[in-house]
Amino acid sequence: LIQINNFFAGQLRYLLGKLDEVPEGNGTMLDNTLIVWGNELGKGNSHTHHPVPIVLAGGAAGHFRMGRNLDVDDVDINRLLVSTLQYMGLEDETFGNLDSGSGGLPGLV
């Protein structure tokens, strides 16, 4: 499992490097891209769903404050996904069938 996750992390690194090589506007394509990379399991040995690691990468055209670590609970993951939907121009306030809705993740933007 560690080897698999290391492989995918390397692929993400490769993609980020390639995006950073493409000029776009006043920066690079990476500066204007949001990549959401996550894992379906928090801990592979027990198949728990918390904490599920999620990485936001790229500059997102300055929309999100990057370069930090947020420790969020399961409900906040839905809020994070709502924030990404709103970043793409959708006006959704919920994500998922069981989400009661409360908008984006506070402090992410």
Side-chain angles (χ1 to χ4, degrees):
L1 186 57
I2 291 170
Q3 288 176 330
I4 291 168
N5 286 326
N6 282 338
F7 171 78
F8 286 124
Q11 295 298 298
L12 176 64
R13 180 179 173 205
Y14 174 79
L15 174 62
L16 295 173
K18 288 298 186 181
L19 290 171
D20 201 31
E21 293 175 1
V22 179
E24 186 175 82
N26 292 330
T28 68
M29 190 179 287
L30 180 61
D31 296 324
N32 297 306
T33 299
L34 175 65
I35 295 172
V36 179
W37 177 48
N39 196 324
E40 67 276 8
L41 297 174
K43 296 178 183 174
N45 63 340
S46 60
H47 291 247
T48 62
H49 60 86
H50 185 77
V52 174
I54 296 177
V55 174
L56 300 183
H63 186 77
F64 296 111
R65 256 187 335 136
M66 300 298 203
R68 59 202 173 118
N69 179 48
L70 300 176
D71 187 14
V72 299
D73 63 25
D74 293 342
V75 173
D76 288 334
I77 290 174
N78 284 358
R79 303 285 65 82
L80 179 130
L81 294 173
V82 168
S83 293
T84 61
L85 292 173
Q86 292 172 346
Y87 163 71
M88 293 184 287
L90 301 172
E91 296 181 9
D92 295 27
E93 293 293 320
T94 63
F95 186 91
N97 292 337
L98 302 177
D99 188 356
S100 60
S102 64
L105 181 63
L108 184 62
V109 177

